[in-house]
Amino acid sequence: MSRTADDALVPPDPERVDPGVLVALLARHGWRLRGGAPGRYTRWTPPGQPESASRISLLVPERRTTGARYADHCELLGEALDALARCGVPSAREVLTALAVPGDEIRWHRELPPVAGEAVPWTAAEQLRAAARAMLMSAARAERDRFGYFGARHTGHADAFLERVLVGPAPVGHQLTAYVPVPEGRRAVTTLLRALQATRDAVDYQRTTGGMDAFDAAVGLGVCHELAESLIRMVRGTEGVVIALAWAPAAGAPGGFAAVPEPVEFSPGDLPALEAASERFVREEPSVDVRVTGTVTRLRRPRPSGGGTIRLRVLAGADVRHVRVRLPEEGYRIAAQAHLVGLPVRLSGRLERRTGFRHLTHPTAPAPVHVDEADRDRLMKALHGGVDTFEDSFGG
């Protein structure tokens, strides 16, 4: 998660805000309905504010109507949004963020051991953010495919998914909220919810019976090494973790899911099962035979002659961005010449699980792939390092 939602404090254009969505968000974040004028507007006050108090009160018009019956609809809605931005209530910031990002909410809450009142360790926020990022990355990968261990596979897709996710304002050490746009990110969110529920069931089964079979079956629901590791990082050092999801009010719940999903909880007692599952997923995932086409972006060998290692930017044949390949002298020479003239190469080998699917072992000799002039120019422009990464010189 690389972006924040601080700009959500600027009230959105009332012309683009559905009053029904605003009301749903106010109710979700604990605001209280305090009457109003039926058919015209409702009145809302922040959570925890006594009914007799009148410091903060929002008048939210009902859904738009035509005609002169309620001509100041947009003006009243704008006043409510301005008041929401100025009131300083933490939940008001969350409501405005959700309006700015019409999407699903994922909320993580960690129960941390008390230190001094509300104080939390300096590193707590960093740990939570890193674990939440890893969890979303695992969901984005599992949306594309089902593996017990992904390694470097589908990293590009997961990174692109995270670029669309916003982080809620002012994250603290014990809680964090992410907003995932709909419809683009909904498949990843539903995958995450299924995977978390399946993980919870598998942990319960393991703690009851000692068996790991439920984890194997849960791979088909998106459970994987990366998800288990994110949960381990999130739970360790806490008294428990709660993960809650809320659907975008404008889109509603997807088919087959509850309108209000039950939060999923994990505790320190779940760590042994999660750690065993994480190790099992890596151990059981096999290496993969592939036929890769890619551009040579780096070459390295310890001496002016002999074999060396090349790095390929993968264009086709494997769900990874880059692979490293150790080649004998003749293969290394072919790869270097292809690099100099801007041609991709094709070779077969075995993507090794133990290196995160980043190394190709037992390779065949690379063969240059001839492309037309337009494709060659495009490939050459895509090489960030260009010939500057070529560390050996060739003659003949």
Side-chain angles (χ1 to χ4, degrees):
M1 295 173 288
S2 58
R3 297 190 294 163
T4 61
D6 291 339
D7 58 342
L9 290 179
V10 178
D13 183 354
E15 289 283 356
R16 300 183 177 182
V17 174
D18 183 341
V21 171
L22 175 56
V23 164
L25 290 172
L26 290 171
R28 175 184 297 174
H29 291 281
W31 286 63
R32 303 291 300 277
L33 176 62
R34 302 294 190 185
R40 299 188 63 190
Y41 62 83
T42 52
R43 177 173 171 265
W44 296 82
T45 59
Q49 179 173 296
E51 187 171 0
S52 58
S54 58
R55 297 190 315 275
I56 302 172
S57 181
L58 303 182
L59 299 182
V60 181
E62 296 194 359
R63 295 184 181 275
R64 299 183 187 278
T65 57
T66 58
R69 179 169 177 251
Y70 200 34
D72 60 346
H73 174 283
C74 191
E75 180 180 349
L76 189 61
L77 186 55
E79 291 175 355
L81 295 172
D82 287 338
L84 200 60
R86 294 194 309 267
C87 72
V89 177
S91 60
R93 298 169 62 93
E94 296 176 332
V95 171
L96 287 171
T97 302
L99 287 174
V101 189
D104 299 326
E105 295 181 25
I106 306 171
R107 187 180 301 272
W108 295 270
H109 180 85
R110 305 168 84 210
E111 291 290 341
L112 296 173
V115 179
E118 295 295 323
V120 296
W122 177 266
T123 58
E126 297 175 1
Q127 293 168 350
L128 174 57
R129 189 183 179 97
R133 184 183 190 278
M135 187 176 294
L136 292 179
M137 289 278 286
S138 76
R141 287 166 162 161
E143 170 203 343
R144 292 288 299 272
D145 217 331
R146 296 289 193 269
F147 294 111
Y149 173 49
F150 282 92
R153 291 182 289 192
H154 298 312
T155 301
H157 173 75
D159 286 342
F161 165 74
L162 285 183
E163 284 295 319
R164 300 192 296 267
V165 177
L166 285 185
V167 182
V172 293
H174 65 276
Q175 63 184 23
L176 180 66
T177 304
Y179 301 86
V180 183
V182 173
E184 309 97 293
R186 171 141 294 181
R187 282 189 60 194
V189 175
T190 55
T191 298
L192 176 60
L193 179 56
R194 284 196 182 100
L196 288 171
Q197 293 169 339
T199 302
R200 179 68 266 169
D201 292 342
V203 168
D204 291 340
Y205 181 84
Q206 194 280 334
R207 294 185 67 174
T208 302
T209 68
M212 300 293 292
D213 298 348
F215 280 105
D216 297 336
V219 170
L221 295 173
V223 181
C224 58
H225 162 80
E226 288 76 11
L227 177 62
E229 282 296 306
S230 71
L231 284 168
I232 292 167
R233 295 168 66 181
M234 188 167 288
V235 173
R236 184 171 288 140
T238 73
E239 296 177 351
V241 169
V242 179
I243 306 164
L245 283 80
W247 310 117
F257 289 86
V260 181
E262 286 288 330
V264 186
E265 302 182 20
F266 295 91
S267 70
D270 299 325
L271 286 174
L274 291 170
E275 291 166 350
S278 175
E279 296 171 2
R280 182 184 180 89
F281 286 138
V282 176
R283 186 172 61 250
E284 297 297 325
E285 187 68 26
S287 300
V288 184
D289 291 320
V290 294
R291 187 166 182 253
V292 172
T293 302
T295 53
V296 181
T297 60
R298 183 166 299 173
L299 300 107
R300 184 184 298 275
R301 62 180 176 179
R303 294 177 298 277
S305 62
T309 300
I310 69 170
R311 186 186 188 195
L312 288 181
R313 175 178 296 160
V314 177
L315 303 176
D319 296 318
V320 295
R321 284 181 172 179
H322 301 93
V323 294
R324 285 183 171 84
V325 190
R326 175 75 181 176
L327 294 172
E329 182 173 9
E330 183 60 28
Y332 185 85
R333 183 183 296 272
I334 295 171
Q337 292 172 338
H339 171 80
L340 285 175
V341 299
L343 286 177
V345 296
R346 181 176 294 133
L347 68 165
S348 300
R350 192 164 183 81
L351 270 183
E352 283 298 325
R353 173 259 300 166
R354 66 176 183 273
T355 62
F357 303 102
R358 293 178 176 88
H359 285 76
L360 195 69
T361 61
H362 309 295
T364 60
V369 178
H370 292 283
V371 295
D372 60 35
E373 202 64 33
D375 284 337
R376 180 181 297 184
D377 290 343
R378 177 179 57 80
L379 290 170
M380 289 296 288
K381 290 177 182 178
L383 294 175
H384 297 309
V387 296
D388 292 336
T389 61
F390 182 51
E391 298 174 6
D392 302 289
S393 56
F394 258 114

